[in-house]
Amino acid sequence: MIASKGERLYRRPHVDPLAALRTPGDPPWDVYLTGTVFLDIVFTGLDFAPVRGTESWARGMGSSPGGVANMATALARLGLRTSLAAAFGDDHYGEYCWDALEQGEGIDLTPSRRVPGWHSPVTVSMAYEGERTMVSHGHEPPPEETAPECPPHARAAVASLVPGVRAPWIAQAAGKGTRIFADVGWDDTGRWDLAGLADLEHCEAFLPNATEAMRYTGADCPRAAAHALTEYVPLAVVTLGAQGAYAVDARTGETAEVPAIAVEAMDPTGAGDVFVAGFVAGTLADWPLADRLAFAGLTAALSVQEFGGSLSAPGWSETAAWWRRVQSLERQDPAALQRYAFLEALLPDEAVSPWPLRRAVPTIGFRRSA
């Protein structure tokens, strides 16, 4: 089982956002992360949510690695040297996901493992009206196949915090100088207790959405919640949905807020992961806080215009195509264009494909053409 020919032949202009900062003594990896890789099967073009007892037809369908693969792919496409520790099933789905990440995206899978007799987790995602509904199935891999006890040395790591659960690798990585960026999922316990996020003490940045931030802090607005979070973590970034994002850096006292880019969303799957990846890239490159927020929001906006979590993550080619396109449109707000002018020095000079771009969708089961 292989990625499609179109996927394998896809080439992105290489941009290294950390080129000016690299030295011979750097860690081998820019970002390390660990988690569960799913096979995502995404249906798009649904006019409404499926109704019980009826059959719905989707106008589009694709498959791609999902779960933690969304974040890994987003980081790699932004030019960061990315290492992933995950368990992969020894079925066709696991083989496809491994090949797509290692060969297709250049992600280091040295810390990952293939697990005999374990089938790959699967998620079916249905996108409609800018929202999504998901159904997943899977089993926990054997304990010995989880993340390695000693994570590889990296500039940064992205961790998904779980209420009430410590992940020993986070403290180990932070102890070696790795900068930890954390997000969090919905608290099914309903406690919303920041003390339950024990690994937050090892993190440099925490990136919840507005609802999560307000529930954890008890604040009545997301901006106040961001300030309250800096009592626990140096840098708090709160995503505000259609309003953009707000950040507070307690170390410098700096705050920044950037509005969202209005787009027609096809599929929001993985947009949060893409936002985090964009912010990590800008932070490691030492960009100003407002530029980091703007870039993270831009990459997330570009991602929702495609379907599929990892497939939709934009690279520098898509970013360049967007920048050239928006500058050519009439009646653009000069102030809005100036907000993204910092991209000019980063983007590839070579010609890029017309906007909007569409990638080949990998299809499992097709044979390689002769």
Side-chain angles (χ1 to χ4, degrees):
M1 304 303 160
I2 59 171
S4 72
K5 183 177 180 181
E7 174 75 358
R8 286 182 173 277
L9 292 179
Y10 178 66
R11 294 291 183 268
R12 294 174 295 276
H14 179 69
V15 173
D16 182 358
L18 309 185
L21 303 175
R22 297 196 185 279
T23 67
D26 285 344
W29 306 109
D30 296 325
V31 188
Y32 167 78
L33 63 165
T34 183
T36 302
V37 173
F38 287 76
L39 172 73
D40 279 358
I41 301 173
V42 183
F43 292 95
T44 64
L46 290 165
D47 295 321
F48 47 79
V51 178
R52 187 171 67 177
T54 67
E55 181 179 18
S56 300
W57 281 82
R59 291 188 290 274
M61 176 266 182
S63 51
S64 65
V68 72
N70 295 339
M71 180 77 71
T73 300
L75 291 163
R77 289 186 176 183
L78 293 178
L80 299 181
R81 300 168 184 173
T82 303
S83 183
L84 169 65
F88 289 77
D90 65 349
D91 51 12
H92 291 315
Y93 293 168
E95 180 184 353
Y96 158 71
C97 289
W98 183 291
D99 182 70
L101 295 174
E102 184 180 59
Q103 302 300 322
E105 304 295 343
I107 296 168
D108 170 57
L109 297 182
T110 303
S112 294
R113 297 291 180 269
R114 299 180 191 267
V115 184
W118 181 65
H119 74 77
S120 301
V122 177
T123 292
V124 175
S125 177
M126 293 163 282
Y128 53 89
E129 298 177 351
E131 299 293 338
R132 57 177 175 163
T133 297
M134 298 186 293
V135 178
S136 297
H137 173 71
H139 302 282
E140 289 291 328
E144 63 273 16
E145 300 297 344
T146 55
E149 292 185 3
C150 184
H153 192 200
R155 293 173 185 264
V158 180
S160 184
L161 304 184
V162 179
V165 178
R166 276 193 181 271
W169 73 266
I170 295 177
Q172 294 171 14
K176 293 190 290 187
T178 297
R179 304 164 70 177
I180 310 296
F181 297 75
D183 61 11
V184 68
W186 190 258
D187 186 354
D188 292 328
T189 70
R191 297 189 184 95
W192 297 100
D193 181 10
L194 276 170
L197 300 179
D199 285 320
L200 200 58
E201 64 180 338
H202 304 297
C203 298
E204 174 177 333
F206 184 42
L207 299 94
N209 63 35
T211 300
E212 294 160 350
M214 290 189 291
R215 284 182 177 265
Y216 271 117
T217 62
D220 58 3
C221 82
R223 293 162 186 81
H227 285 273
L229 286 171
T230 58
E231 296 182 13
Y232 300 85
V233 66
L235 177 58
V237 180
V238 177
T239 55
L240 309 175
Q243 297 180 42
Y246 181 81
V248 182
D249 191 332
R251 297 163 299 189
T252 63
E254 184 181 9
T255 64
E257 183 168 359
V258 174
I261 297 174
V263 295
E264 184 176 348
M266 175 183 289
D267 177 15
T269 303
D273 295 325
V274 172
F275 180 94
V276 174
F279 190 82
V280 170
T283 302
L284 294 183
D286 288 339
W287 297 352
L289 184 58
D291 289 355
R292 288 181 258 164
L293 277 189
F295 184 68
L298 170 60
T299 54
L302 294 178
S303 76
V304 301
Q305 297 178 78
E306 301 287 344
F307 69 89
S310 60
L311 278 179
S312 67
W316 291 103
S317 179
E318 288 89 342
T319 306
W322 173 84
W323 179 236
R324 308 302 180 218
R325 173 63 172 162
V326 295
Q327 290 182 91
S328 70
L329 297 176
E330 296 181 358
R331 297 185 297 278
Q332 283 284 15
D333 180 0
L337 286 177
Q338 185 60 33
R339 171 63 271 163
Y340 297 92
F342 70 94
L343 292 171
E344 193 68 47
L346 295 164
L347 298 177
D349 294 329
E350 62 262 41
V352 294
S353 303
W355 176 266
L357 301 179
R358 291 291 182 268
R359 287 192 193 86
V361 178
T363 304
I364 297 173
F366 281 2
R367 295 183 180 275
R368 192 191 303 268
S369 59

